[in-house]
């Protein structure tokens, strides 16, 4: 179940405090130039320790290409990208073993997998796995670029305000965290991508997006605003034979299929669950309620690190649809 | 691509103005009592012509059970549910062949499938296909009921107001349409359902939900509101060993997995695209812009008919996860 | 599980003595001319009552096209092909309910699905379902013909002899049945189809072939004979840049991928399980052993009817690989 | 396409002369004790250099467990097993780059993936990848053992004789290679596993089996012999309510579903394609025919190494069906 895609297929693996995290990508078109340097920019965008409000933990976040590349080009065989975990402090988490952190997957992990669950730093549920998503996204974006498709996400709101820095300073000073909204735009996507009903573009993208931890909602084009609109305002008038519309309430999609306009959607990111402020949880040994305060290195606003992850899963989702529609070939020229 | 699910799998088929629409369901546990009467209530809820703001078109919306049932019980073989199309007025649509309706899939259908696309009433893209979704949902809900899981959706807002009837009257009087918000709650779902990452409960449900035409957004628990919250308010405190929480900002899900609380999410429905009011579109023959006003029988507020469809796709999605988790067996006792 | 294929996907449904059997086909390229007449030849080849050794049961085996076709062309939407069951004598089977027929799926059906299993004439396990396979094959073969790919199967041996008619006469005279071998050749398939390892051409074809009831084995090229050969004889010498080889021990496949030569494989078909001769089985009520003799209309040599079914599943399998390799487009010109 | 399975899913990766080969396994039940020592016996069985007729190449064939295990137990998260490639002599293959070896995938690899194909030692097509299959099989077999299911394969014939050693000596002395037949028996498999039609036990097993390089055929129970039999001899008489039969021509399967008897099937293995004896091939530069003799370390009879690989893919296939049938749980006690 840790796999997404029909023809371009990404599997994630690994644990926060295990040996590694990584992505196995199958269905990569052959002939794409790929070097470890290609990952540098996006991995840095994802990495904490750079802007205020993100964790100072610093991994050497450049993947090792373990398979699928020969003479710096993809071969068409499965591509394994691994990040070895260095800089791991398991002791931070040992004491939390029996007191599941509110907002985290600690309790559900134990319920689902029994005492076998790797609880250290969230284990396989950790946000650390987004490194694998970003790496897969680098590959997908590089391929999409050959078709002149460009995926761009940015944070547009934090804590309900556009004054992002101020909102983060406030949260930091309170030992608290804060949520945000990220918008993603995809330019250059051809008309006719996506399938009616269960593989609608919205279905496929939202499926991928909710693999990112901490996402609470997604809306396309006019989104929740559409619920307050009338049809006469909402319907996008069609201007030419290529499907160009006057407005873009559809967000670039009609009937689940791209309509030749820019693809636009937004996601809601919840505040980081790990906070210093004290909350109540249950002690799994005694069954009694206890106070908990999560120590360690954490982001005040995880939304700041989400844009590059959102671009990644979006690119993965769209590339799969492009290959299905035969707009991307099996060999890249 | 017209199929969803891993073990409980629903495929939809048919066209608005063809012979039929229907659902083929594979992986149905054997031994479920099933008669055509079971479909009556939900098919009526979906059907227009009852409340103000819904189309007066009236189909005899009871499916024929073509396979998979023997002696009024499911056999474990594929279940084919067909709705024969009666009461079809194709002439309404003939003139629209060359003038794609704004907000509809007419243009993308032609671009994707060429002149082979069945343009009559939206063809395979039609909202008529939701009859198939509802029928599949009846089966899924009946099975979930054996596990005491109950799925309930209702409209909570139309045109930005809770005064639903007034908002619809206004839209009707203007020859216009209006959007709305539908909320879905699932009670009784056990803890531990769903899979990390790509088969998170949110991924699987949103994938299914965006198969419903006219949906523009989805949010779980606190949803877009989470983007404006702080972690200290958002984190749900855990009260007991069964995962019961004081608040339910998580909407019943942590780390993509059900956490033992009620599952809660909301969706945004756009205003019906077919309206009498005049809009501009392109004439596919001349390439020139022309005015268009959609005649025929249409809903002023399609959101009114969405709740039962939303329950259906939600039940289908959850049942599949329940079977994967082995909480629902292959034979129903 | 009643579905095969990644992009060209065929699902089968129905029961021998229920309302119908049929095939739902998704991923059909748009623009293929398709009329009911197209099915006539292959449905007749499959039908019994024509040559000695096949059952005299005569269905009106022309499918109804229920969806996916508009103006005699496929639309790209799911194609539902249904055969209504006429001419059904359920009483033949009623008495067999508690005495599972040796060689049939009666007992395993009951064990797997409980008393819900439709036991009449094999129910969903019936050879009657091969009508659905053949119908799907007609569609696949028509599409492959556009790429000049031709699939041809014929019976080459019955009861260990090439004197087919004599062997059948003998079995008939004894109230017995007899097995056979069918060979399939595919001409015109391009080099490079199939995927390494789990989607090897052999994997995909054999997966499809063993969906046909009564098949006991499959071998490609030199097949079981290869086990007795030396490498110096087995290796096919390569003659030109298109991969043409001097011999064809490979059967047209290397490393799971078509090599530019004719695809050749053979299958073993067991003798019809339904025979007049008395055999022992268990009475499910008493748990005691009883004698059984299967009455009704049956084939003395089911292998005679297999070639067209084998062509069908082979064409379905190959077409899916052709679409994945982008050698067949989403719209047929 | 390098993945098999619905719920227990195995992906293979890597190249013969790249950094590594490996298997990513998803859907592993949590709680299985797993250490690197568990792989020792089967990896040695697969390894060459022990019996006459197998290559002297010796890898340190113990996988590294990169993820999915915590405190020596599986966690339910994806399990990555990697074999680092040591002892690689790429220069052996450099000269073969332009002269595709008869019987190998060299030419089809180039045709399918262009010049990006990793030609060194077969690259991703290499038999080296069977190390990944065997490793996955170790995990599957360990889980099946909890249900008292035992998978056992052995070579029963080489070069058409049961005098295995003599046949190999002869081939070795001639610089030639030789084929063989391997039989697999599965004891303890419950009745009712497998699905009608496309997920028949034969379909699922043969799909997996043909992922093994060099396999030319598969037959279940009476196999190709069934084609020469009469129904009165072939039908297995049923002796008790658990489905026990007097004979086992069915090979343990009726209607695609296990019938409570031992599962039995055989496969044909072709002679090793790499031989010292001279054969003709095409030079990709000149387009002219040239002689080729494959140097390096190779098996005279690859069939000798196949049994453990056959057990592996069989166990993987059966475990998946066991999980789907809910006979194996998500947590191992």
């Amino acid at each position: 179940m840790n796999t997404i895609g029909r023809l371009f297929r990404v599997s994630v693996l690994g644990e926060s405090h295990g040996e590694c995290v990584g992505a196995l990508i199958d269905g990569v078109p052959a002939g794409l130039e790929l070097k470890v340097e290609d990952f540098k920019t996006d991995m840095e965008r994802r990495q904490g320790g750079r802007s205020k409000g993100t964790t100072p933990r610093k991994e050497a976040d450049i993947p090792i290409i373990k398979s699928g590349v020969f003479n710096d080009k993809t071969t068409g065989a499965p591509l394994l990208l691994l990040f070895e975990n260095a800089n791991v402090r398991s002791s931070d988490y040992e004491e939390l073993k029996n007191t599941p952190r509110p907002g985290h997957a600690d309790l559900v992990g134990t319920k689902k997998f029994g005492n076998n669950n790797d609880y250290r730093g969230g284990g396989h549920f950790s946000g650390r796995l987004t490194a694998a998503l970003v790496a897969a996204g680098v590959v997908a974006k590089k391929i999409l670029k050959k078709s002149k498709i460009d995926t761009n996400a940015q944070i547009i709101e934090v804590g309900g305000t556009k004054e992002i820095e101020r909102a983060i300073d406030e949260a930091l000073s309170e030992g608290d965290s804060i949520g945000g909204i990220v918008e993603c735009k995809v330019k250059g996507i051809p008309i006719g991508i996506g399938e009616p009903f269960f593989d609608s573009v919205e279905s496929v993208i939202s499926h991928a997006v909710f693999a990112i931890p901490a996402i609470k909602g997604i809306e396309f084009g006019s989104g929740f605003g559409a619920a307050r609109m009338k049809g006469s305002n909402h319907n996008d008038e069609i201007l030419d034979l290529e499907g160009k519309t006057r407005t873009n309430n559809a967000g670039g999609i009609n009937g689940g299929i791209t309509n030749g306009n820019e693809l636009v959607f937004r996601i809601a990111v919840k505040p980081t669950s790990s906070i210093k402020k004290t909350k109540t949880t249950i002690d799994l040994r005694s069954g009694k309620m206890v106070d908990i305060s999560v120590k360690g290195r954490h982001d005040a606003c995880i939304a700041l690190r989400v844009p590059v992850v959102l671009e990644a899963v979006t690119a993965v989702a769209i590339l799969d649809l492009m290959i299905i529609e035969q707009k991307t070939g099996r060999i890249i020229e």
Side-chain angles (χ1 to χ4, degrees), chain A:
Chain A
M1 332 290 173
N2 290 279
T3 301
I4 198 165
R6 282 187 197 278
L7 296 184
F8 184 80
R9 296 191 302 191
V10 175
S11 304
V12 295
L13 63 101
E15 290 84 18
S16 174
H17 289 57
E19 276 201 35
C20 65
V21 299
L24 178 65
I25 316 179
D26 201 2
V28 182
L32 178 76
E33 287 189 30
L34 193 69
K35 301 183 180 179
V36 290
E37 293 92 310
D38 291 318
F39 296 88
K40 192 160 182 291
T41 306
D42 273 6
M43 294 315 302
E44 282 181 3
R45 287 175 65 201
R46 177 195 166 276
Q47 200 165 8
R50 309 212 160 224
S51 56
K52 243 192 290 192
T54 59
T55 165
R57 171 173 168 178
K58 285 216 184 60
E59 302 96 354
D61 264 351
I62 296 298
I64 305 165
I65 301 174
K66 296 291 285 186
S67 69
V69 166
F70 178 50
N71 291 337
D72 292 338
K73 286 190 173 181
T74 57
T75 62
L79 181 63
L80 177 62
L81 304 172
L82 279 195
F83 298 89
E84 302 284 345
N85 284 334
N87 194 12
V88 167
R89 296 195 215 161
S90 287
S91 57
D92 284 5
Y93 295 92
E94 191 69 24
E95 61 178 279
L96 298 178
K97 181 178 171 181
N98 295 298
T99 49
R101 296 165 299 171
H104 279 280
D106 299 348
L107 183 61
V108 299
T110 301
K111 290 285 182 179
K112 189 174 185 73
F113 298 119
N115 286 323
N116 315 293
N117 191 45
D118 182 350
Y119 54 82
R120 298 167 303 164
H124 181 60
F125 291 92
S126 166
R128 172 87 181 119
L129 271 282
T130 59
L133 298 177
V134 171
V138 166
V139 177
K141 287 197 279 186
K142 239 192 138 180
I143 297 167
L144 288 176
K145 189 155 285 178
K146 303 278 179 184
S147 301
K148 306 209 183 311
I149 296 176
D150 184 61
T151 304
N152 188 274
Q154 52 187 331
I155 194 149
I156 59 172
E157 196 185 299
V158 161
T161 171
K162 313 272 179 195
E163 297 173 67
I164 295 173
E165 208 161 332
R166 191 191 52 69
I168 288 165
D169 280 342
E170 187 189 305
L172 275 175
S173 73
E174 295 169 357
D176 212 333
S177 64
I178 198 160
I181 291 180
V182 180
E183 185 172 68
C184 185
K185 296 181 175 182
V186 187
K187 281 191 212 309
I189 193 167
I191 196 170
I193 302 301
E195 306 295 325
F197 291 92
F198 298 118
D199 278 2
S200 74
V201 173
E202 299 101 321
S203 287
V204 171
I205 287 180
S206 64
H207 193 131
V209 162
F210 282 114
I212 308 174
I215 307 306
K216 301 301 297 176
I218 186 168
E219 59 175 16
F220 293 83
S222 56
F224 276 84
R228 295 185 296 274
M229 291 172 74
K230 292 201 173 146
S232 54
N233 291 326
H234 193 274
N235 283 352
D236 300 311
E237 299 194 316
I238 304 171
L239 304 182
D240 67 22
L241 291 171
E242 299 315 305
K244 177 95 186 102
T245 54
R246 194 184 305 277
T247 49
N248 191 11
N249 289 309
I253 308 167
N254 284 121
I257 294 176
T258 55
N259 68 8
N261 294 277
E262 191 179 49
L263 190 65
V264 183
F265 64 96
R266 284 165 301 282
I267 63 172
V269 186
K270 73 173 182 179
T272 318
S273 295
S274 296
I275 52 172
K276 288 208 184 88
K277 275 201 166 179
T278 299
K279 296 287 285 185
T280 297
T281 189
I282 199 79
D283 187 306
L284 297 182
R285 290 157 299 192
S286 66
K288 291 191 179 154
M289 289 169 59
V290 292
D291 278 352
I292 185 168
S293 158
V294 181
K295 290 175 193 64
R297 304 153 300 171
H298 302 289
D299 296 276
C301 179
I302 193 68
L304 297 179
R305 292 171 68 184
V306 163
V308 71
V309 187
L310 183 59
E311 288 176 11
V313 299
T314 302
V316 163
I318 288 173
L319 176 55
D320 192 36
L321 293 174
M322 286 284 287
I323 293 173
I324 291 171
E325 191 65 18
Q326 306 190 358
K327 300 289 190 191
T328 296
R330 301 224 29 186
I331 301 181
I332 302 279
E333 310 293 340

